[in-house]
Amino acid sequence: MIHRKDDIAREATMDVARKMLAAALTAPKACGVDDVDALILTGEEKNTLAKHMRDIADETGEDFYARDAGNVDNSICVLLIWAKDEPLQLTNCGLCGFADCAANRAAGAVCAFNITDAGIAVGSAVSIAADNRIDNRVLFSAGKGAAKMDLFGNEVRVCYGIPLSVSSKSVFFDRGDQDVAF
């Protein structure tokens, strides 16, 4: 049997994506509250994500959404990681900048612990990709595109996408970042 490099690269990438998802889900979380979730997009769903990212570029005039959509196009899959928007209801916390969780909710803010949990999960996931030499890049723009896909309902406000690729030169390098002002 002959095993072609493209097939092996796809299989290896999907295997690593599954391990990244597991790493994200098992990452430490504030107070042990399980507020992090994840999924992997391939095929038509991945294409739909890129389309929504381009729609956001058109709506906002922010070119980096379209640039990042090109990275999604050139990827084998995209891992999405998010934290549910559920304050921990701690007393005397104030880490989010508000007196308490009720004030946070009234202002429409996001719990600092939820964002931190998502960030730790992303870090755990990308460490698996790095350990396995799978090219990747963390994109908040992919998270915004996923929100337009209505994958989570109203319980998620912070999501990150991590497209994965195997090629002779990383598709995430020399992306023209100097042309985009943030």
Side-chain angles (χ1 to χ4, degrees), residues 121-149:
V122 166
S124 292
V126 297
S127 73
I128 300 299
D131 289 347
N132 287 276
R133 308 307 179 257
I134 301 293
D135 294 333
N136 68 93
R137 182 142 185 152
V138 177
L139 302 176
F140 104 95
S141 56
K144 293 281 280 189
K148 278 188 76 102
M149 291 175 70

Side-chain angles (χ1 to χ4, degrees), residues 27-30 35-36 83 95 110-123 158 160:
K29 295 158 195 79
D35 61 347
V36 172
L95 188 60
V110 178
C111 176
F113 286 105
N114 296 156
I115 293 170
T116 301
D117 288 348
I120 292 168
V122 166
V158 177
Y160 297 95

Side-chain angles (χ1 to χ4, degrees), residues 5 71 74-75 133-136 164-176:
K5 69 178 181 176
N71 287 156
N74 292 317
S75 299
R133 308 307 179 257
I134 301 293
D135 294 333
N136 68 93
L164 305 174
S165 173
V166 173
S167 59
S168 59
K169 183 174 189 258
S170 174
V171 299
F172 310 116
F173 192 73
D174 292 339
R175 302 177 328 137

Side-chain angles (χ1 to χ4, degrees), residues 5-29:
K5 69 178 181 176
D6 290 346
D7 294 334
I8 292 169
R10 181 170 301 284
E11 290 171 17
T13 302
M14 290 306 299
D15 183 50
V16 169
R18 288 188 277 280
K19 290 175 182 176
M20 291 171 69
L21 188 146
L25 297 181
T26 60
K29 295 158 195 79

Side-chain angles (χ1 to χ4, degrees), residues 11-71:
E11 290 171 17
T13 302
M14 290 306 299
D15 183 50
V16 169
R18 288 188 277 280
K19 290 175 182 176
M20 291 171 69
L21 188 146
L25 297 181
T26 60
K29 295 158 195 79
C31 300
V33 174
D34 188 14
D35 61 347
V36 172
D37 210 344
L39 59 81
I40 299 168
L41 298 178
T42 61
E44 192 55 41
E45 287 76 16
K46 181 179 73 80
N47 296 339
T48 300
L49 173 63
K51 179 200 173 302
H52 283 296
M53 293 168 68
R54 286 187 179 85
D55 290 347
I56 294 171
D58 291 342
E59 294 163 8
T60 65
E62 298 286 353
D63 293 338
F64 71 90
Y65 283 98
R67 177 206 61 206
D68 292 354
N71 287 156

